[in-house]
Amino acid sequence: MTLHSAVKGKLLAVIGDEDTCVGFLLGGIGEINKNRHSNFMVVDKNTAVSDIEDCFKRFVKRDDIDIILINQNVAEMIRHSIDAHTQPIPAVLEIPSKDHPYDATKDSILRRAKGMFNPDDIH
Amino acid sequence: MESIMKSSALSVTENELDELVIRILRLMNEYINCKINIENRIRSGCLDLAKARYITGNRNISSLQLPGEDALGVEAQYRVSQSNKNGFMEYKSINPVELQETFIVENFKNVNLSSDKSTTRNTGNSSKDPIKWFGFLVPQSLRQAKVTFEKCLEVVIECANIQSELSHCLELYKNRKKDIEK
């Protein structure tokens, strides 16, 4: 059983709209752990921003989650929390949804990269 | 003499910076391509889900079928492992079939030679297949959606690796710039 635990690996979590969550859970990432905590959250138009933020912070604190997938439009709602997360683990990946195409100008890591190349530095 | 050594050290650092910038730009390009690839796959998967809903009805393929917090035995079929590679994290997907075979081998070593052995060997992960949450006779489009999202997960892992390397390079760039400014 030790070998099994060693290769078991970590989870991917998902915070997104219904189709995103249904799709990725169909892909096999869904889990309910022994503490009855899930690794996914379905966000709809009635979901409070505070709930999304609390869920994101819970996923970040868990040591069994390595990657958090979050729809980019949902990430915009909690941008301050996402930008504040600078640790490499868990990795936070902003993914597009069917209703909101990918916008590179809003992606956290690309904004950080753009900020590094300040036009004032170009002599 | 000292100034010559300082200027040569500075030019070495500047060359390193130039290489880092090129690497960062290349990684940004790969990152954006990856995201577009994910977007295309998600769109295709959502289209398959919509087709499945058209056949079975809206309520039969929705978040209502997803397991709640009181559900038992819900385990992820797809996991990742991480390793430290040259200062940044590299993720790899763990094949659920290999994981199950490892589990079966371990169980086989622990059970006695009895009829229970065949039950352990036959235990597959088919009972934990998430497609079963949507019923036993599901439309082909739902199976297709599952395949699409499984492939999407591979691209997600690739994207996570690029992001990790990009983040590491940005950090290196920041530190090298500080060295030059000193």
Side-chain angles (χ1 to χ4, degrees), chain A residues 18-19 22-23 26, chain B residues 43-62 65 131 133-135 137-149:
Chain A
E18 185 177 62
D19 272 6
V22 167
L26 254 184
Chain B
R43 194 181 299 132
S44 174
C46 288
L47 198 56
D48 290 325
L49 286 176
K51 285 177 190 171
R53 279 196 192 104
Y54 181 74
I55 295 167
T56 62
N58 274 343
R59 285 175 167 259
N60 294 332
I61 296 173
S62 68
Q65 277 70 43
I131 210 161
W133 302 335
F134 302 91
L137 288 173
V138 295
Q140 187 57 30
S141 44
L142 189 66
R143 293 188 191 280
Q144 185 54 45
K146 181 176 189 284
V147 168
T148 305
F149 276 101

Side-chain angles (χ1 to χ4, degrees), chain A residues 1 7-10 18-19 23 28 30-32 36 40 66 92-94 101-102 107 109 112 116 121, chain B residues 31 35 39 42 53 62-63 67 69 74 76-80 82 94 106 130 146 149 163 167 170 177:
Chain A
M1 292 302 285
V7 301
K8 200 176 177 189
K10 301 282 183 82
E18 185 177 62
D19 272 6
E31 180 161 302
I32 311 286
R36 305 280 175 102
F40 57 92
D66 256 3
V92 178
L93 230 63
E94 295 178 31
Y102 177 63
D107 197 308
I109 186 103
R112 243 175 68 202
M116 296 294 243
D121 293 341
Chain B
Y31 184 73
K35 287 286 174 91
E39 181 180 341
I42 287 178
R53 279 196 192 104
S62 68
S63 54
E69 289 180 350
V74 180
Q77 303 296 296
Y78 193 96
R79 290 172 177 266
V80 290
Q82 39 142 310
I94 293 180
E106 286 297 305
K146 181 176 189 284
F149 276 101
Q163 182 175 288
S167 194
L170 288 171
K177 260 191 81 174

Side-chain angles (χ1 to χ4, degrees), chain A residues 10-21:
Chain A
K10 301 282 183 82
L11 299 171
L12 291 93
V14 58
I15 302 174
D17 59 23
E18 185 177 62
D19 272 6
T20 303
C21 289

